[in-house]
Amino acid sequence: MSQAELATSYAALILADDGVDVTADKIQTIIKAAGVADVEPIWATLFAKALDGKDIKDLLMNVTSGAVAGGSAPAAGAAGAAATGSDEPAAEEKKEEEAEESDEDMGMGLFD
């Protein structure tokens, strides 16, 4: 991440922590007050538009669920089921296992 992106990210986090609306003007004000040089105004505009209407604190609190989802698909499905209390992914896995077993029972194995 470049220095401009980092400064803009921190400015947006400061605004969110104070409960202030994240706007490009406010981000630029914080960057200038911090004395960070060479930050183009486009960064503040991009971050403000990207975070418009989003709860930044909620995004930060749910960052771990995004890291889990980045793993393998079965692990992410199991983690999602555990978090929501739903048994649907577990039922889907059982159906897939049954389908695999049924192929073997019909003599359609790879080495038959």
Side-chain angles (χ1 to χ4, degrees):
M1 209 178 229
S2 72
Q3 184 179 3
E5 293 172 355
L6 212 72
T8 308
S9 298
Y10 287 141
L13 289 173
I14 290 169
L15 290 169
D17 189 48
D18 286 343
V20 178
D21 290 333
V22 178
T23 64
D25 293 334
K26 292 177 184 176
I27 290 173
Q28 277 297 117
T29 303
I30 290 177
I31 291 171
K32 287 179 184 175
V36 180
D38 298 329
V39 177
E40 296 178 22
I42 188 68
W43 288 113
T45 304
L46 286 174
F47 273 74
K49 285 183 179 180
L51 297 172
D52 186 34
K54 309 259 185 328
D55 184 13
I56 297 172
K57 290 181 182 181
D58 186 46
L59 289 172
L60 290 173
M61 294 304 242
N62 292 325
V63 74
T64 56
S65 61
V68 171
S72 65
T84 61
S86 173
D87 291 335
E88 290 179 21
E92 290 177 12
E93 289 177 19
K94 288 180 184 178
K95 288 180 185 177
E96 289 176 14
E97 290 175 10
E98 290 174 9
E100 291 174 10
E101 291 175 8
S102 66
D103 288 345
E104 292 172 3
D105 293 340
M106 289 192 258
M108 299 176 131
L110 182 61
F111 299 106
D112 286 340

